[in-house]
Amino acid sequence: MIAVAYCRGGFEGEAAIDIARVAHAAGATSAATPIGGSGYVVAALEGVDLAKWRRALAMAPPIFVRSLFVGTGPHPLFASAGASGARGGADRVTPIIAAIEALQTSASELWIEYPDTNEGKAMSTLARALEPRVKDALRQRRLLDDPATGTPRAARNRKRLHVFLPDGATAYVGVSIGESGSPWPMGI
């Protein structure tokens, strides 16, 4: 299991310390190698219990982390184009859906996000193109609430699916619950 934390570029080391502090409070360990200026940190988690993780986040929220989710990755985004009937382009939706299905959860919202850096902003077009396709596929599988027919959940219990695109070929997927994630995409 991994934790992905978004932070301001230049504060990756501090965000990694925040994750380690939460992991310790939850009785788990974390290992991260922050990349300066990337705007995010990915930490491997060992021995994490998600209920304890959530309590630890509530008791001592991270200081330098804008938004945080727990999940899996990195996942390569390229499946064969012929498998999906894509018109010559790479099928990134199928691997994202497979990674989300492996989480074995459903959610109220889906956010496709990217680093808040100049390099990361290049992913915004891809994120906007993927979002409706991924949402449709998740709704067909009943993994994402349909806003027209879904039952609203209390904000503190609302699960949000995150797909984080550090580049155009890789994704991390995971879930934040209520107040453990930012109320805004990318934490800003």
Side-chain angles (χ1 to χ4, degrees):
M1 188 169 295
I2 53 111
V4 177
Y6 308 149
C7 62
R8 186 173 210 152
F11 289 89
E12 295 81 8
E14 291 85 349
I17 292 168
D18 274 349
I19 294 170
R21 186 175 42 79
V22 172
H24 179 75
T29 60
S30 73
T33 305
I35 300 169
S38 65
Y40 70 95
V41 174
V42 177
L45 301 175
E46 292 293 328
V48 69
D49 173 288
L50 292 179
K52 288 180 182 177
W53 176 265
R54 187 173 178 192
R55 284 192 298 274
L57 277 172
M59 296 201 46
I63 297 165
F64 292 95
V65 170
R66 290 179 171 175
S67 188
L68 178 68
F69 69 86
V70 175
T72 62
H75 301 283
L77 287 184
F78 294 105
S80 65
S84 69
R87 290 176 283 169
D91 171 23
R92 291 179 173 107
V93 174
T94 300
I96 291 171
I97 297 303
I100 291 171
E101 285 179 319
L103 295 173
Q104 298 182 351
T105 191
S106 62
S108 299
E109 297 178 272
L110 168 73
W111 286 353
I112 298 183
E113 303 164 300
Y114 44 88
D116 183 28
T117 63
N118 288 334
E119 296 79 16
K121 288 181 175 97
M123 295 294 101
S124 65
T125 301
L126 175 60
R128 282 192 308 271
L130 287 173
E131 188 170 343
R133 294 178 179 109
V134 173
K135 280 184 176 180
D136 287 347
L138 291 173
R139 285 188 181 121
Q140 288 173 6
R141 290 165 176 79
R142 297 187 177 165
L143 295 174
L144 186 66
D145 293 346
D146 185 337
T149 60
T151 305
R153 302 177 197 199
R156 62 185 285 271
N157 292 321
R158 186 172 297 139
K159 284 186 185 176
R160 180 177 301 124
L161 288 170
H162 296 264
V163 175
F164 178 64
L165 304 172
D167 55 52
T170 311
Y172 293 88
V173 300
V175 177
S176 64
I177 300 174
E179 64 278 350
S180 72
S182 171
W184 304 285
M186 298 172 21
I188 49 177

